[in-house]
Amino acid sequence: INAGDTGNGTVGVQESDIDNVQLNMANGILTLSNLKNADVAIYTLIGKQVFSRNMSGTLNWNMNAQVAGIYLVTYAMNGKRSTEKIVIQ
């Protein structure tokens, strides 16, 4: 699933096919909710990792300090993996 770019660097709420994980990007804050022992990582398009953590619950991460561009949010949980695209302008 790719999160839909609204043209202003934000994305609407997207529900993944992995156990109801939801991604929301608003006002520069990336939120991933319903995580359960998930490996979460965020990469630039050239592959530089800017975030990595194993976590449960909700991730709220401020992306405002990141350089404008396209980022890939990956998370793995229960043997499944998903990648979402977000745009920072």
Side-chain angles (χ1 to χ4, degrees):
I1 297 173
N2 284 334
D5 178 20
T6 62
N8 62 3
T10 62
V11 294
V13 174
Q14 297 291 317
E15 188 170 312
S16 129
D17 59 351
I18 300 179
D19 298 325
N20 299 316
V21 171
Q22 291 187 340
L23 177 140
N24 185 24
M25 182 74 184
N27 299 318
I29 306 297
L30 170 69
T31 302
L32 276 172
S33 56
N34 300 323
L35 299 170
K36 297 175 188 137
N37 194 30
D39 293 317
V40 179
I42 302 172
Y43 299 91
T44 65
L45 268 187
I46 60 171
K48 179 182 175 189
Q49 187 178 69
V50 295
F51 179 88
S52 178
R53 185 174 297 159
N54 179 282
M55 60 182 308
S56 294
T58 299
L59 165 70
N60 290 302
W61 196 58
N62 187 339
M63 298 283 294
N64 286 315
Q66 299 302 316
V67 175
I70 299 172
Y71 291 81
L72 301 175
V73 179
T74 65
Y75 48 94
M77 191 168 76
N78 299 327
K80 298 178 184 175
R81 178 172 299 279
S82 185
T83 301
E84 314 283 345
K85 178 180 75 172
I86 58 174
V87 178
I88 305 296
Q89 294 184 344

